[in-house]
């Protein structure tokens, strides 16, 4: 699977971007040249040799704050996505197989979660569980999970009604077998696409919650938080939002590329695509197989 | 029950739906298939032939009657019991369209050994057991690594037949196995089925066309509107059909022989069937 | 017989029995995208009341041939050689308007999947009536009357009921009848039936084939019957063309082709029936009765 993803240009690009972001998240805080929280009288300064990206409204070094904030930002977004994945996908698969009662309950629960106001619920739960980035992301993850639930359920339903699953049943296959052997491969690409999108949402949510004092507490920096405060001083430093935006965009883009790559290599279309490329490389000049529109 | 029967269906009733929408799909069907025998099950769309097959496989619950498979009474079996029975691989099923009955993302080799893997046979051993089957269905070994989409329709259907045989079943039910194939492939699959008879496996060959099973079946059972209206040896049924529907069926089958039944004959039979 | 006289609209040009209503002369069809010839020359002639059949697998070029005769070749296919004449008129250079005038009222067709040619949200009767109104300029009430007659003409048991029904309420055989009714609504001289019975049960297939034979006899319809099954074609046709990979490998009167097949492919098609079909039993029976014995 990994090798096939890396054989696609989009897959290699995604791997490059995402590993860069991961390195940033791991080593970023150690690399910060300046104290990210230390303010100075040099407020809203432009880029210089000392402050590569200038300073913010309290005179803090923006470059240091970006590096320092990368860990919390990325960890937060990944947590949201993973929680949503686990909480959404597993019931999504099971809702097809565990019988009417589970199906009905899980569907209604998903509807309820969708209708809950996001931030208010997050405030309420952190009040109960204590404040911290993990608690906050847990809540957000649960709230986003209906997306995964729906996506995985839809994909599972389509496979569950297929004839090859019936053939397996006639051979005495268990639900476990069918999911592992036939369902999972078809659900994965859909889930991967949803995962990439959720990562993007994660960054925004981490910063929105910072405003409310939930999760990452000010003055600790996050990319989203930096972006939000930069927007307030757009008047003085119109270029300031570029740096955090580029990082967020790069991460989301990397995730989307990865999702595309996963979708392209899984399933028949993906394989056919790879075969075609090989054929083209070998000079056989096979016709291009169209892949469905991007998500 | 006779010792040599692999399948015995007695007075089977099947209903679909509930309450006022309840409709009878099978009405008192009795059928026996002996070891190594090929039985053609003929009927039009909605006549109940597929329902009968699905009931035998435990995919549709019967409302009355008995089904005995290989000496084992399965009426009233629960999911768990069905699974145990199915894992033994006594009865297998081949669908009409192999493109839909083979997982497009699973290689031919993995599709073929799936019934064995489900039974708990090790992968390596399963692959060894599959090889001799390839010869029987005339498939090249190099196809094993391919995906269903990379095979022709005829090759795919032969894969489906091979998979049904991999558990050495006593009975294979084939649901319109050659209807989706072109002439050359149809002949090839029919030949394979004919050869299978010598190996002792019993076949139930479902079709809407008596003509397509005539060359392979020892006996023919004709279904009409949920009932088994006629059974007999293939020769008896074709040359001396008793029921009006069977007569119409034979008169309707396109043959190279001109004047097998005239239009007037068919019109008379249709009218008789309507009033019956 | 009243329907027959009704079917003949006053403006329809009476065709002489020996007039050639459809002629293909060495027609070649070319695939412009893949840069290769798909049909390598096919010729036959249809006169009123005559039935010609084409037998071949999918991909043999038989459907493309039909589409060429109807002027509805898919996008990148073109007639690259030979000529097609419909009632004496060369089709090369026909304008779209001229084609519209020709299709339905001179040459018409039915295909394999009847449901896809009808609108699921409009009553089938209204759809036939619309064809009549467009093609003959009949008034609404007149068109309805004719549509009901046509539904009766294709042996639907309760025309008034079927008229009011939607596609999903009708079986495959009934839908194909409705489609045939629509195809003959404007009184064409040629009807093309391309795998028109392939998706149907054997008994229903026989009903549709009987209906086609009936129409051919009653109104002198010239039929082009296309099928993958040699027996279907043999049952109906005066002349048979056996196609394989775009090539006509055998052509001749039906009896001649069946009794004295020259090409190996035709022999295989016949063997399929003789070894695996009903023929084996029926022949034996006939021989015992001292009845038909086959030459060759």
């Amino acid at each position: 699977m990994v090798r096939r993803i890396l054989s696609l240009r989009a897959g290699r690009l995604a791997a490059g971007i995402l590993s860069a972001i991961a390195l940033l998240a791991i080593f970023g805080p150690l690399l910060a040249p300046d104290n990210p929280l230390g303010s100075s009288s040099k407020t809203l300064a432009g880029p210089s040799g000392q402050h590569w990206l200038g300073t913010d409204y309290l005179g803090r070094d923006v470059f240091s704050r970006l590096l320092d904030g990368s860990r919390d930002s990325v960890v937060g977004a990944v947590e949201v996505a993973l929680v949503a994945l686990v909480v959404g996908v597993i019931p999504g698969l099971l809702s097809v197989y565990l019988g009417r009662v589970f199906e009905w309950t899980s569907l209604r629960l998903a509807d309820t979660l969708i209708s809950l106001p996001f931030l208010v619920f997050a405030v309420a739960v952190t009040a109960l569980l204590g404040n911290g980035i993990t608690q906050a992301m847990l809540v957000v993850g649960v709230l986003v999970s209906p997306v995964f639930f729906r996506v995985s359920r839809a994909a599972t339903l389509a496979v569950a009604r297929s004839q090859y699953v019936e053939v397996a049943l006639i051979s005495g296959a268990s639900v476990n077998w069918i999911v592992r052997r036939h369902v999972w491969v078809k659900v994965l690409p859909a889930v991967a696409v949803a995962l990439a999108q959720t990562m993007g949402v994660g960054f925004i949510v981490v910063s929105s919650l910072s405003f409310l004092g939930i999760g990452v507490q000010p003055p600790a920096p996050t990319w989203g938080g930096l972006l939000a405060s930069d927007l307030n001083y757009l008047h003085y430093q119109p270029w300031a939002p570029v740096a955090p935006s580029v990082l967020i965009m790069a991460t989301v883009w990397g995730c989307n590329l990865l999702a595309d790559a996963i979708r392209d290599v899984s399933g028949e279309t993906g394989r056919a695509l790879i075969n075609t490329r090989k054929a083209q490389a070998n000079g056989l000049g096979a016709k291009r197989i169209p892949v469905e529109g991007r998500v | 029950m006779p010792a040599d029967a692999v399948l015995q269906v007695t007075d089977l009733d099947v209903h679909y739906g509930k309450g006022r929408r309840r409709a009878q799909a099978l009405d008192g069907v009795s059928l026996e298939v002996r070891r190594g025998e090929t039985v053609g099950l003929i009927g039009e769309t909605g006549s109940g032939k597929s329902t009968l097959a699905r009931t035998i496989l435990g995919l549709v619950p019967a409302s009355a009657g008995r089904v005995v498979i290989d000496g084992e009474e399965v009426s009233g079996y629960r999911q768990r019991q069905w699974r145990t029975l199915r894992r033994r691989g006594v009865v297998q099923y081949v669908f009409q369209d192999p493109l839909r009955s083979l997982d497009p993302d699973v290689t031919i080799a993995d599709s073929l050994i799936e019934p064995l893997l489900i039974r708990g046979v090790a992968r390596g051993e399963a692959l060894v057991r599959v090889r001799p089957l390839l010869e029987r269905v005339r498939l090249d070994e190099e196809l094993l690594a391919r995906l269903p989409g990379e095979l022709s329709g005829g090759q795919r259907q032969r894969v489906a037949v091979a998979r049904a045989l991999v558990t050495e079943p006593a009975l294979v039910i084939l649901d319109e196995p050659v209807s989706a194939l072109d002439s050359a492939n149809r002949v090839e699959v029919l030949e394979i089925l004919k050869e299978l008879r010598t190996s002792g496996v019993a076949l139930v060959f479902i079709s809407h066309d008596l003509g397509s099973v005539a060359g392979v079946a020892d006996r023919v059972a004709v279904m009409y509107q949920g009932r088994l209206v006629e059974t007999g040896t293939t020769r008896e049924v074709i040359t001396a059909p008793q029921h009006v529907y069977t007569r119409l069926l034979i008169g309707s089958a396109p043959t190279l022989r001109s004047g097998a039944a005239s239009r007037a004959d068919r019109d008379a039979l249709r009218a008789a069937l309507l009033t019956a | 017989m009243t329907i027959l006289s009704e079917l003949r609209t006053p403006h329809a040009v009476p065709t002489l029995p020996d007039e050639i209503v459809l002629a293909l002369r060495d027609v070649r069809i070319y695939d412009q995208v893949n840069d290769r010839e798909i049909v390598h020359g096919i010729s036959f002639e249809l006169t009123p009341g005559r039935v010609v059949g084409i037998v071949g697998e999918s991909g043999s070029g038989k459907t493309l041939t039909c589409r060429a005769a109807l002027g509805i070749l898919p996008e990148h296919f073109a007639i690259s050689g030979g000529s097609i004449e419909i009632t004496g008129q060369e089709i090369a250079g026909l304008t779209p308007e001229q084609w519209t005038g020709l299709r339905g009222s001179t040459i018409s067709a039915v295909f394999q999947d009847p449901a896809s040619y009808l609108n699921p949200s409009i009553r089938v009767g209204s759809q036939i009536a619309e064809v009549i109104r467009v093609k003959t300029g009949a008034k609404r009430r007149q068109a309805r009357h004719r549509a009901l007659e046509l539904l009766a003409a294709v042996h639907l048991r309760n025309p008034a009921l079927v008229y009011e029904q939607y596609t999903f309420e009708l079986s495959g055989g009934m839908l194909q009848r409705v489609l045939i009714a629509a195809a003959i609504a404007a009184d064409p001289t040629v009807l093309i039936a391309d795998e028109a019975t392939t998706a149907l049960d054997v008994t229903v297939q026989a009903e549709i084939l009987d209906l086609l034979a009936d129409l051919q006899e009653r109104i002198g319809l010239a039929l082009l019957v296309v099928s993958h099954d040699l027996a279907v074609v043999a049952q109906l046709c005066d002349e048979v063309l056996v196609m394989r990979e775009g090539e006509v490998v055998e052509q001749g009167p039906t009896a001649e082709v069946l009794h004295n097949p020259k090409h190996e492919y035709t022999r295989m098609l016949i063997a399929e029936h003789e070894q695996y079909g009903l023929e084996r039993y029926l022949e034996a029976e006939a021989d015992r009765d001292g009845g038909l014995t086959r030459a060759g």
Side-chain angles (χ1 to χ4, degrees):
Chain A
M1 183 82 169
V2 174
R3 234 184 32 224
R4 278 191 282 136
I5 289 174
L6 290 181
S7 72
L8 293 178
R9 197 189 304 156
R12 286 196 298 272
L13 197 54
I17 293 171
L18 293 179
S19 21
I21 300 287
L23 288 175
L24 204 58
I26 298 166
F27 299 110
L30 308 175
L31 293 175
D34 215 342
N35 178 4
L37 303 179
S39 52
S40 74
S41 56
K42 269 200 287 178
T43 57
L44 298 174
S48 62
Q50 198 190 349
H51 303 291
W52 291 5
L53 292 174
T55 60
D56 69 358
Y57 64 105
L58 289 175
R60 296 174 293 199
D61 180 41
V62 172
F63 184 60
S64 303
R65 285 179 68 73
L66 266 183
L67 287 178
D68 190 63
S70 46
R71 186 177 292 170
D72 281 349
S73 306
V74 172
V75 167
V78 169
E79 271 181 356
V80 169
L82 288 183
V83 169
L85 181 77
V86 173
V87 176
V89 171
I90 293 170
L93 288 175
L94 292 180
S95 72
V96 177
Y97 288 107
L98 277 194
R100 289 265 174 84
V101 179
F102 184 85
E103 187 177 5
W104 191 88
T105 320
S106 58
L107 276 170
R108 295 297 85 77
L109 209 61
D111 292 345
T112 314
L113 283 176
I114 288 172
S115 64
L116 279 177
F118 218 68
L119 293 174
V120 177
F121 192 68
V123 172
V125 175
T126 39
L128 272 171
L129 295 177
N131 201 348
I133 184 164
T134 308
Q135 283 93 327
M137 295 307 112
L138 203 72
V139 174
V140 177
V142 171
L143 286 178
V144 183
S145 65
V147 175
F148 287 85
F149 176 80
R150 297 243 170 236
V151 162
S152 54
R153 179 177 151 81
T156 311
L157 267 181
V159 182
R161 292 190 186 134
S162 66
Q163 249 177 32
Y164 50 84
V165 163
E166 195 156 50
V167 168
L169 277 177
I170 290 168
S171 297
S174 61
V175 170
N176 189 0
W177 172 275
I178 287 166
V179 169
R180 272 193 299 132
R181 186 84 169 184
H182 299 288
V183 178
W184 185 238
V185 197
K186 275 97 177 161
V187 176
L188 196 62
V191 169
V193 174
L195 194 65
Q197 287 167 341
T198 315
M199 290 282 279
V201 173
F203 282 110
I204 314 296
V205 170
V206 172
S207 65
S208 318
L209 289 178
S210 301
F211 270 128
L212 296 170
I214 299 169
V216 183
Q217 307 268 352
T222 60
W223 295 349
L226 279 171
L227 181 60
S229 72
D230 284 342
L231 287 175
N232 288 333
Y233 295 91
L234 206 54
H235 195 59
Y236 303 102
Q237 290 177 307
W239 42 265
V242 172
S245 311
V246 164
L247 283 175
I248 294 178
M249 272 165 55
T251 317
V252 173
W253 189 45
C255 294
N256 277 318
L257 279 176
L258 183 65
D260 281 357
I262 293 176
R263 189 201 51 205
D264 286 351
V265 299
S266 23
E268 213 189 357
T269 359
R271 276 178 227 210
L273 191 79
I274 289 173
N275 289 343
T276 321
R277 296 214 170 154
K278 278 191 195 139
Q280 276 166 346
N282 296 337
L284 297 173
K287 254 191 349 181
R288 235 185 92 82
I289 291 167
V291 179
E292 324 97 280
R294 322 225 122 196
V295 178
Chain B
M1 132 175 203
D4 66 339
V6 284
L7 173 73
Q8 200 170 39
V9 177
T10 320
D11 292 328
L12 198 66
D13 284 0
V14 169
H15 291 85
Y16 279 128
K18 276 180 184 162
R20 212 179 294 168
R21 289 170 131 190
R22 191 171 143 101
Q24 188 154 18
L26 292 184
D27 183 2
V29 172
S30 298
L31 178 71
E32 193 185 286
V33 180
R34 287 185 286 273
R35 205 163 291 282
E37 175 185 49
T38 301
V39 175
L41 186 61
I42 315 297
E44 59 194 10
T45 315
S47 61
K49 57 194 194 306
S50 289
T51 304
L52 176 57
R54 295 173 66 81
T55 314
I56 294 167
L57 290 158
L59 298 172
V60 172
S63 24
R66 263 164 38 103
V67 177
V68 180
I69 296 171
D70 204 22
E72 190 171 333
E73 160 114 38
V74 299
S75 337
Y77 258 23
R78 292 171 174 280
Q79 271 310 321
R80 189 173 295 272
Q81 290 164 299
W82 267 116
R83 200 178 294 160
T84 317
L85 177 72
R86 286 178 189 154
R87 284 198 183 161
R88 278 172 42 212
V90 180
V91 188
Q92 291 290 1
Y93 196 78
V94 175
F95 284 93
Q96 173 176 357
D97 182 1
L99 196 54
R100 295 202 292 140
S101 62
L102 295 169
D103 188 331
D105 295 319
V106 174
T107 61
I108 299 305
D110 282 334
S111 275
L112 281 174
I113 60 174
E114 188 177 20
L116 292 175
L117 295 184
I118 290 170
R119 268 166 111 179
V121 177
R123 203 186 141 77
E125 199 203 322
L127 283 169
V128 172
R129 279 212 231 163
V130 158
R131 304 225 170 230
L133 275 177
L134 291 177
E135 209 172 301
R136 261 164 86 187
V137 298
R138 294 171 205 160
L139 278 175
D140 209 56
E141 235 175 71
E142 68 169 65
L143 297 180
L144 284 177
R146 306 243 187 115
L147 291 171
E150 298 163 346
L151 267 59
S152 74
Q155 288 173 327
R156 279 194 288 260
Q157 193 59 298
R158 280 178 276 152
V159 170
V161 171
R163 177 175 54 188
L165 296 172
V166 78
T167 57
E168 290 163 17
L171 174 67
V172 178
I173 301 174
L174 307 116
D175 196 348
E176 304 270 8
V178 295
S179 302
L181 304 178
D182 60 24
S183 296
N185 283 311
R186 196 155 45 223
V187 169
E188 180 129 39
V189 171
L190 287 171
E191 260 167 40
I192 290 167
L193 295 180
K194 221 169 163 179
E195 286 166 15
L196 279 181
R197 294 194 301 183
T198 55
S199 71
V201 58
L203 304 177
V204 171
F205 190 150
I206 300 178
S207 176
H208 68 96
D209 177 15
L210 186 51
S212 64
V213 307
V216 234
D218 304 306
R219 283 197 306 136
V220 170
V222 182
M223 289 198 72
Y224 182 65
Q225 296 183 344
R227 289 164 189 268
L228 211 59
V229 294
E230 186 158 352
T231 43
T233 65
T234 308
R235 178 170 301 279
E236 274 168 18
V237 172
I238 292 175
T239 56
Q242 300 300 307
H243 194 269
V244 182
Y245 176 72
T246 318
R247 278 156 63 200
L248 177 61
L249 196 65
I250 290 164
S252 295
T255 59
L256 299 177
R257 197 166 161 270
S258 48
S262 70
R263 248 189 288 166
D265 290 343
R266 282 195 288 269
D267 281 338
L269 288 169
R270 280 173 203 137
L273 203 59
L274 269 184
T275 52
Chain C
M1 288 310 270
T2 53
I3 294 149
L4 287 193
S5 35
E6 279 286 336
L7 279 169
R8 290 244 162 254
T9 44
H11 68 269
V13 190
T15 42
L16 299 167
D18 55 351
E19 188 196 341
I20 295 166
V21 288
L22 175 66
L24 273 72
R25 297 199 178 91
D26 194 34
V27 170
R28 290 164 184 275
I29 299 171
Y30 197 75
D31 177 352
Q32 289 158 336
V33 165
N34 293 315
D35 205 25
R36 61 196 180 102
E37 197 176 77
I38 305 291
V39 175
H40 316 295
I42 174 167
S43 310
F44 62 86
E45 286 175 353
L46 262 181
T47 51
R50 193 172 158 80
V51 190
V52 168
I54 305 179
V55 189
E57 310 294 3
S58 52
S60 61
K62 54 193 186 354
T63 294
L64 279 179
T65 306
C66 293
R67 292 185 151 252
L70 288 160
I72 50 168
L73 273 178
E75 197 83 355
H76 49 84
F77 291 95
I79 297 171
S80 56
S83 69
I84 300 179
E85 278 175 28
I86 299 172
T87 55
Q89 192 176 10
E90 168 61 46
I91 63 154
L94 282 182
T95 62
E97 289 75 33
Q98 286 172 309
W99 263 123
T100 312
L102 216 54
R103 269 183 234 126
S105 31
T106 305
I107 187 162
S108 198
V110 280
F111 299 96
Q112 178 169 356
D113 179 16
S116 62
Y117 294 89
L118 292 164
N119 185 330
S121 56
I122 301 176
R123 295 175 198 281
V124 294
S126 313
Q127 298 185 54
I128 299 175
E130 194 186 325
V131 173
I132 296 165
R133 281 168 59 206
V134 170
K135 285 290 171 190
T136 68
K139 293 271 180 302
R140 195 174 287 269
R141 179 173 302 192
Q142 233 182 323
R144 184 190 155 84
H145 185 70
R146 283 279 300 277
L148 283 169
E149 281 183 339
L150 283 165
L151 290 174
V154 294
H155 302 301
L156 279 160
R157 277 176 204 115
N158 192 342
L161 176 68
V162 173
Y163 190 98
E164 299 297 333
Q165 281 178 312
Y166 294 96
T167 50
F168 66 87
E169 296 175 281
L170 301 171
S171 69
M174 289 167 99
L175 279 176
Q176 197 57 282
R177 280 163 201 272
V178 168
L179 226 67
I180 292 174
I184 61 170
D187 195 22
T189 35
V190 184
L191 179 68
I192 296 177
D194 184 359
E195 297 278 13
T197 61
T198 302
L200 304 174
D201 278 325
V202 172
T203 49
V204 184
Q205 163 169 291
E207 287 175 32
I208 299 292
L209 294 177
D210 287 353
L211 170 63
L212 289 177
D214 183 52
L215 289 171
Q216 170 240 333
E217 277 171 22
R218 284 190 315 177
I219 61 176
L221 205 57
L223 284 174
L224 175 60
V225 178
V226 173
S227 174
H228 66 279
D229 188 345
L230 180 59
V232 165
V233 167
Q235 202 170 322
L236 222 55
C237 299
D238 307 306
E239 184 183 347
V240 179
L241 286 81
V242 182
M243 278 187 90
R244 193 185 192 190
E245 286 161 10
E247 199 115 23
V248 177
V249 297
E250 184 134 12
Q251 179 167 8
T254 306
E256 177 68 21
V257 171
L258 288 186
H259 291 179
N260 194 11
K262 300 208 168 50
H263 195 272
E264 173 199 5
Y265 181 63
T266 318
R267 281 199 284 267
M268 189 209 77
L269 290 176
I270 293 172
E272 184 196 344
H273 269 274
E274 287 180 339
Q275 283 168 34
Y276 294 101
L278 292 178
E279 283 81 352
R280 214 164 50 137
Y281 298 98
L282 294 175
E283 294 303 326
E285 194 68 2
D287 287 346
R288 204 179 312 152
D289 292 351
L292 296 153
T293 38
R294 283 188 36 174

